Each structure stands twice: as C-alpha cells, then as structure tokens.
Amino acid sequence: MRSILAAVDRISACVALMAGLLCGVLVFFVALPLALSSPFPAPKQGAWIIETSSFRVASLSPAQVTLATGSALEPEAPTGPVGLPAVRMNEASADAQPAEGAKAATIASTGSVALPSRRGPAIRDEVDEYLWQVYQRAPAKRDSTGDFTWKDPAAAKRLGMSLQKYVIGGMDPDFREQLYHAGRAMDVAGIRWAMLSAFRDDYRQGLASGLKARRGNSLHGGSVATGGYGHGRAVDVTSAEGNPAPVWRWLDAHGPRFDLHRPLPGADPAHLQPLGAWHKLAHALREARVGNADELRGPRKQLAGSKAKAVGKASL
C-alpha cells in the first residue's frame, strides 16, 4: 500500500511540474508579447498603411465652400477611434502633389479659400498690349546688317508660341513695366518709338548678326545671363518714323528717371537695358498705375450706375 501511495505522489509531482512548465511557456511566449504589443500598426519605410474601413477621411464637399462670400470651410470630422496617432502621408505621394498639399495647408490655417485677383491679368495685359503695339510700329526689322524680320517669327514658331507671346511675354515683368512708363512718356513728347528686337532666347541669339553677345549670355533672354523665357531685360529700340536719333537722345536725357540706359551708345546705340535698383522702381510704378486705374474705375462705376437708374426711371 505504501508503495502505491509513493507512486501516486511521484506522478502528482510530475504532473504539477509539467503543468508549471507549460504555464511558464504560455506566459513567456504568448501572454507577455501580447501585453507589450501595440494595437496600432507599426510604421514601415516612412509610411503607415491604415485600412479605409477604420475611419472616414475628412473631406470638403463643394456645397461646404461659399466662394462668393468667403465663408469659412467646415470640414467633416474624422470618426475613427480615439487616440489614433497622426498618420504621415507617404513621402512619394507628398512629392507628387506639392500644389495640393500647399492648398490644403492654406485652407487649414486660414479656414477659407483665397480667391485669385481678377484684376491681375487685366493689369498685365494693359502693359503687354501696349508694348506689342509698339513692336508692330516698325513691322520691318532692319539694321546695318540687313533685314532680319523673319528671325523673331522663326524663333516663336520653334517654341510653338505666337509672335506676341514670344517677344513680349519673354521679357521680365518688371522690365516691361519700365518700358511701358518710359514709352508712354515718349508718346506724350511726340516721339513714336518702336522696337527692333525684344526677347531673344539662345536659338534666336544664334541667328543675330553683327555685334552681339554669345549664345546664352545675352540680356535679351539668354539662359545663362537671365534664366531664359520670362526674364529678358534688354530691347533694341528705334523710331517708327525712320530716324532713330530722337528716340536715343530722349532716352539718354530721360531714361534714368525710369532706371533705363544705353550702355553702348557708340557701338550698339539701339541696345536698352535696366539700370540700378530697377525692380524696386518697377514695383512702385506698377502700384501707382494700378492705384490710378482704381481711382478712375470708381467714378466710372458711379456714372454707369446713375445712367442705369435714369434708364430704369424712364422706362416706368
């Protein structure tokens, strides 16, 4: 009997030992990792992947945006679990849509959509249209090297542009502003000036003859000297009436008022370019011109409103 009880005791001890070992294994390999784990996915390679069913993405519907009144946007709040960590956008997606990201940041910081100014293009067109008219005052482009009327159209066609967009739009906006004001002053003085050449890219510069800068180094719009299209800051000026001397004399006397000068009056008398702090002056000239336009626009609107009221009363 004692031997049987001793055997039972040994079996019970072995069972208890095995049960203890099994519990230890379960705690070490199962319970402990679960206790230390996070319920959220871990970041991998700079991006987090979250199932779309976990929460609704905040969105802006067109009906929530009142552009006419500039009212604040009311984005829909996310309905995901509380405490969800901030989710970083995949870096490749952020690089692919910088404009959208900037727009979203603007909306988030201001709570409204900034509408583009409607008068901006009209203000620029005023300058560009005038300079285009001046360019056409001398339809035949000739100098001591001969007739080069065909060169600007050839360069514009090569880029798939209209001639106006090429020769006028290729110049720096601030330089155009200077030319506009100086040109208007010449018109008032009775001097009908014109342009022989305005913007020139590297290809067009290669077609030029006579005294000229190397391709890429021309202030007319060389890729090295200015940065290319939209940055040209030199023109060749002449007269629409044949004798360019009055134009050059006027610019020598009055050009500095507009930060314009002829650096080579002997070797290249037609060449005109900016001088000094011309960007600052151009900004001041633009502000004055836009302000004058606004001042004139007010009385015109009032006059138009008065006429409309008069017409309405007369029709009753």
Side-chain angles (χ1 to χ4, degrees):
M1 186 66 181
R2 291 179 179 177
S3 62
I4 294 175
L5 291 176
V8 171
D9 290 339
R10 285 196 296 271
I11 293 174
S12 299
C14 290
V15 170
L17 180 61
M18 292 298 295
L21 290 175
L22 182 59
C23 289
V25 169
L26 289 175
V27 170
F28 186 79
F29 289 102
V30 178
L32 185 60
L34 286 176
L36 297 177
S37 65
S38 171
F40 306 113
K44 294 182 179 180
Q45 297 180 352
W48 283 13
I49 302 174
I50 297 181
E51 296 297 334
T52 56
S53 60
S54 63
F55 67 93
R56 291 189 299 128
V57 180
S59 61
L60 298 177
S61 64
Q64 293 171 315
V65 183
T66 308
L67 296 180
T69 60
S71 61
L73 301 177
E74 298 179 356
E76 181 183 5
T79 59
V82 178
L84 183 66
V87 180
R88 293 195 296 118
M89 180 187 294
N90 184 286
E91 295 176 0
S93 299
D95 292 340
Q97 298 180 350
E100 292 299 326
K103 186 186 298 182
T106 301
I107 294 175
S109 61
T110 63
S112 62
V113 175
L115 294 176
S117 174
R118 293 185 179 182
R119 73 181 184 181
I123 293 298
R124 289 193 298 271
D125 288 347
E126 175 187 351
V127 172
D128 293 354
E129 288 299 326
Y130 169 74
L131 295 178
W132 173 238
Q133 293 174 8
V134 171
Y135 180 88
Q136 295 178 98
R137 287 178 181 176
K141 310 301 181 183
R142 297 188 182 91
D143 60 12
S144 60
T145 64
D147 190 316
F148 55 91
T149 307
W150 62 274
K151 295 182 180 180
D152 284 346
K157 183 178 180 180
R158 181 174 176 271
L159 295 179
M161 295 182 179
S162 67
L163 183 57
Q164 177 181 359
K165 185 176 180 180
Y166 177 81
V167 297
I168 304 301
M171 292 187 291
D172 187 286
D174 287 349
F175 183 53
R176 280 180 264 169
E177 192 73 30
Q178 291 175 276
L179 290 177
Y180 172 84
H181 287 272
R184 288 297 192 186
M186 278 191 277
D187 293 341
V188 171
I191 299 176
R192 282 181 51 80
W193 70 295
M195 296 185 205
L196 282 174
S197 176
F199 171 74
R200 297 200 302 247
D201 62 357
D202 293 351
Y203 169 79
R204 172 63 180 84
Q205 185 66 14
L207 298 178
S209 303
L211 181 65
K212 65 174 184 177
R214 291 181 298 175
R215 293 182 60 164
N217 290 334
S218 172
L219 290 181
H220 283 265
S223 58
V224 176
T226 69
Y229 186 86
H231 302 287
R233 53 179 186 267
V235 295
D236 292 340
V237 294
T238 186
S239 172
E241 299 174 347
N243 180 18
V247 175
W248 298 340
R249 284 197 299 266
W250 190 96
L251 287 170
D252 290 341
H254 305 286
R257 290 170 45 201
F258 306 94
D259 279 354
L260 295 170
H261 77 132
R262 296 188 304 139
L264 301 171
D268 190 4
H271 182 88
L272 182 69
Q273 67 185 52
L275 173 71
W278 57 284
H279 285 294
K280 184 177 181 180
L281 175 63
H283 292 169
L285 293 173
R286 183 179 295 108
E287 289 298 322
R289 176 171 59 83
V290 173
N292 291 337
D294 288 342
E295 290 176 3
L296 292 174
R297 192 177 293 112
R300 288 174 182 172
K301 286 184 177 179
Q302 294 177 1
L303 179 60
S306 300
K307 289 182 178 179
K309 291 180 180 179
V311 171
K313 289 181 180 180
S315 62
L316 294 177

